[in-house]
Amino acid sequence: MARKLSNLWENFVNQFFLYVPTFVVCLTFLPCGLLFGYTICSLIAERTVNAGLIEYGPMIFGGCSGFVIAMIMFLVKIFKGRIIFWHIPLLLTAGVSNLLASCFYFANGMDTAGAFISYLAYSLNYIAGLSFLHTTLHKRSRSIMLTLAFSIFLLGAALAVSLIGTSYTQSDDNVDVTTAKVPDGLYVPFAGVYLAISIVILAVLIGLKVMDYLGIVDCQNILDNEFRIANSNGSIFDKRKDIIKRVKFLYVTKNQQWNVTLVVLFTEAIQYALFVYFIFWFVLNPAIRLTAVDNVDAMLWVVFAGSAVCVLIVVFFSVKVTFVANEICLIILCILSMIICSSVDTTVPLWFILFFFGMSFSNLQISLVEVTHFRFTELLFLVSYLAKLISTCVVYYYFVSNSKNSFFYATDESTIMAQGFVYLIITALVALVVGVKVPRTHCMTLFEIQYDLLGIIFKQHEIEQLDVTCLQDGSIPTISAHAHY
């Protein structure tokens, strides 16, 4: 009995240190969520101020920084011919940037300067963090850990809105958020928490680097054996024709990798834009507002709760199935909202909409990580990152900042119903496209997913049915050609 307990403890310790780098990288998404929450709150607070380009300056700077970072990581891959593990130093740089940025939020009028540095850290963290998780995880832990990372992101967003949102009231519960003046010291509580979290995460990253140096953990360990071998021997970036030449028994169909990748990027941008739109709408529209001004953080906590539940769901189901099921639930809830809320004074279905937004928040981002081409991962993460920034800017510019917008701020019931119908159509199309085009990737290795998308399909149980002459003369058997044998 003692020997079994000893073995169990030893296995637990080994698994713990095996996943320590992954958990630390997931934790680094917390400051990213804090920045997202700050961005939402600051845009709401300053929408009546004619600030011009300075409102979008930090996001523009973040996009430019992300472009530089992604291009450098891409070029290193090209020249080295394999993946280079410099993710942790990049995350350390992001940690130092977060620490520096947090200091600017203490002074009135200096939060914009802090936002510029924060978006530099966000760019480093998002691209390097996703690249690390994409590279190191194996088929059973990949979707779980990625969902956990984005759940921590939403935790940071909810925490930031909790710290900033209550400042809108200025000790007056009757202040209307649509007309309230921005109070002084709006970001001081946020700055304190941001500073504390930055110090903790930077200390954890330094500790991780020290443990890696001492050999206690391995920050360059790829848990997927096939992926690790391909990276070490330089075959990880082989082109499709080279893979076909190397593998003997297969069928070849149409290459769908870039089609699927573009579909995921497009639908992810739409889904994220809908999420940002609803957050603004539920806060600012007097006819649809869910909470009092000093309790707007409750919405983000509900979104976070949905993302936390999703961590358990992806253990058993693929992200494709999870996303389509969530979208179907959102469609049903939207219909119920349009029926019930127009006749009964209740907002319960709208709260459930936020919950399912949280459940589906990470799904398409995980799909992008899984279907992306190994050589272009960082560039595609950059596109995803830019799409998020652009979605936030476009929604804010065209809807939120214009207080006279007859669509966004409308209180007329027919206009609200029209928005519901628009949402139903968009959600149904997104669910249909993802359900048809995106493959199921649950518990599949990255190479299995890549071969499926490249149209290289193994048929081990039908190998003996192939005519060996097709191998001897160098021709490649396809699914259509197989009918002749």
Side-chain angles (χ1 to χ4, degrees):
M1 183 67 179
R3 185 177 180 83
K4 289 183 178 179
L5 290 175
S6 177
N7 290 336
L8 286 173
W9 175 250
E10 183 179 355
N11 290 334
F12 171 78
V13 171
N14 290 336
Q15 290 295 314
F16 174 78
F17 284 109
L18 188 66
Y19 283 98
V20 161
T22 304
F23 280 112
V24 171
V25 172
C26 290
L27 190 62
T28 61
F29 280 79
L30 184 58
C32 300
L34 287 171
L35 180 60
F36 174 75
Y38 157 80
T39 301
I40 295 297
C41 287
S42 63
L43 290 177
I44 291 173
E46 298 174 9
R47 74 198 175 284
T48 57
V49 179
N50 188 20
L53 189 62
I54 193 67
E55 293 175 333
Y56 311 100
M59 286 183 273
I60 294 172
F61 179 71
C64 296
S65 303
F67 174 77
V68 173
I69 295 159
M71 283 301 300
I72 292 174
M73 297 183 76
F74 169 71
L75 292 174
V76 169
K77 278 185 176 181
I78 295 294
F79 290 125
K80 296 292 185 179
R82 61 188 182 90
I83 297 173
I84 304 299
F85 286 88
W86 55 323
H87 306 86
I88 301 302
L90 288 175
L91 293 175
L92 279 167
T93 305
V96 173
S97 300
N98 280 318
L99 181 61
L100 179 61
S102 64
C103 300
F104 285 89
Y105 293 95
F106 286 100
N108 288 333
M110 294 298 293
D111 59 286
T112 302
F116 275 91
I117 304 174
S118 294
Y119 267 100
L120 170 63
Y122 187 7
S123 304
L124 281 164
N125 211 120
Y126 186 86
I127 296 173
L130 284 186
S131 178
F132 181 85
L133 295 175
H134 166 266
T135 303
T136 57
L137 294 170
H138 62 62
K139 61 182 181 180
R140 295 192 178 276
S141 63
R142 184 175 58 248
S143 58
I144 298 172
M145 300 307 295
L146 285 165
T147 306
L148 177 63
F150 286 109
S151 180
I152 291 174
F153 174 91
L154 290 173
L155 171 62
L159 185 59
V161 176
S162 297
L163 295 166
I164 300 174
T166 53
S167 300
Y168 291 135
T169 61
Q170 304 179 81
S171 302
D172 184 358
D173 294 337
N174 296 319
V175 173
D176 187 352
V177 73
T178 59
T179 59
K181 182 182 177 182
V182 183
D184 293 331
L186 185 64
Y187 305 113
V188 172
F190 167 77
V193 174
Y194 189 11
L195 176 62
I197 290 175
S198 299
I199 292 173
V200 171
I201 291 180
L202 184 58
V204 171
L205 284 168
I206 293 173
L208 179 66
K209 189 64 179 176
V210 171
M211 288 193 294
D212 182 52
Y213 178 78
L214 297 175
I216 300 174
V217 298
D218 187 0
C219 294
Q220 300 186 17
N221 183 33
I222 301 177
L223 300 179
D224 187 333
N225 291 329
E226 187 180 8
F227 199 80
R228 181 176 63 251
I229 294 170
N231 189 52
S232 61
N233 63 24
S235 64
I236 191 170
F237 300 140
D238 282 355
K239 296 181 179 179
R240 183 173 184 263
K241 60 182 181 181
D242 298 323
I243 298 174
I244 292 174
K245 290 178 181 178
R246 187 173 68 245
V247 183
K248 290 184 178 180
F249 300 109
L250 50 87
Y251 295 101
V252 178
T253 59
K254 186 178 179 181
N255 182 0
Q256 292 286 339
Q257 185 167 45
W258 284 107
N259 291 341
V260 172
T261 301
L262 293 175
V263 165
V264 172
L265 283 171
F266 180 70
T267 53
E268 181 194 5
I270 293 176
Q271 186 72 7
Y272 191 84
L274 288 173
F275 170 70
V276 173
Y277 182 90
F278 270 78
I279 293 298
F280 281 131
W281 197 45
F282 286 158
V283 172
L284 295 174
N285 189 298
I288 208 73
R289 187 182 301 156
L290 295 185
T291 66
V293 178
D294 59 350
N295 197 33
V296 294
D297 59 302
M299 296 191 303
L300 270 297
W301 287 113
V302 171
V303 175
F304 164 69
S307 67
V309 171
C310 189
V311 176
L312 300 176
I313 293 177
V314 295
V315 175
F316 307 101
F317 302 99
S318 69
V319 292
K320 170 187 174 177
V321 172
T322 304
F323 178 78
V324 173
N326 286 333
E327 295 304 286
I328 292 174
C329 291
L330 284 170
I331 291 173
I332 295 172
L333 286 169
C334 185
I335 295 173
L336 288 176
S337 300
M338 295 167 65
I339 296 173
I340 297 175
C341 295
S342 61
S343 56
V344 181
D345 186 18
T346 180
T347 58
V348 172
L350 302 178
W351 285 101
F352 277 104
I353 285 177
L354 287 173
F355 179 82
F356 280 99
F357 261 124
M359 289 187 65
S360 62
F361 183 82
S362 62
N363 293 156
L364 291 178
Q365 300 176 80
I366 296 171
S367 293
L368 178 63
V369 172
E370 293 180 327
V371 305
T372 180
H373 193 291
F374 299 155
R375 188 189 297 270
F376 304 104
T377 48
E378 287 77 20
L379 293 180
L380 292 170
F381 296 156
L382 168 66
V383 175
S384 173
Y385 173 64
L386 292 177
K388 291 177 174 59
L389 298 182
I390 293 172
S391 297
T392 304
C393 292
V394 169
V395 170
Y396 176 73
Y397 179 78
Y398 282 102
F399 298 102
V400 182
S401 62
N402 181 9
S403 60
K404 298 180 181 179
N405 190 308
S406 60
F407 188 74
F408 182 82
Y409 289 100
T411 59
D412 183 73
E413 183 177 322
S414 61
T415 305
I416 296 175
M417 295 288 282
Q419 296 197 52
F421 281 115
V422 172
Y423 173 73
L424 284 174
I425 295 171
I426 295 175
T427 305
L429 289 175
V430 167
L432 180 63
V433 169
V434 172
V436 172
K437 296 295 294 183
V438 178
R440 292 185 62 181
T441 56
H442 187 57
C443 290
M444 292 176 63
T445 67
L446 291 174
F447 270 108
E448 289 173 342
I449 297 170
Q450 179 178 249
Y451 290 155
D452 187 20
L453 293 171
L454 291 176
I456 304 172
I457 305 173
F458 294 92
K459 297 286 183 179
Q460 299 288 348
H461 62 285
E462 295 182 4
I463 288 176
E464 63 275 7
Q465 301 178 25
L466 291 175
D467 190 336
V468 294
T469 57
C470 67
L471 299 177
Q472 294 172 350
D473 62 16
S475 61
I476 300 172
T478 64
I479 288 178
S480 58
H482 180 255
H484 299 294
Y485 296 120

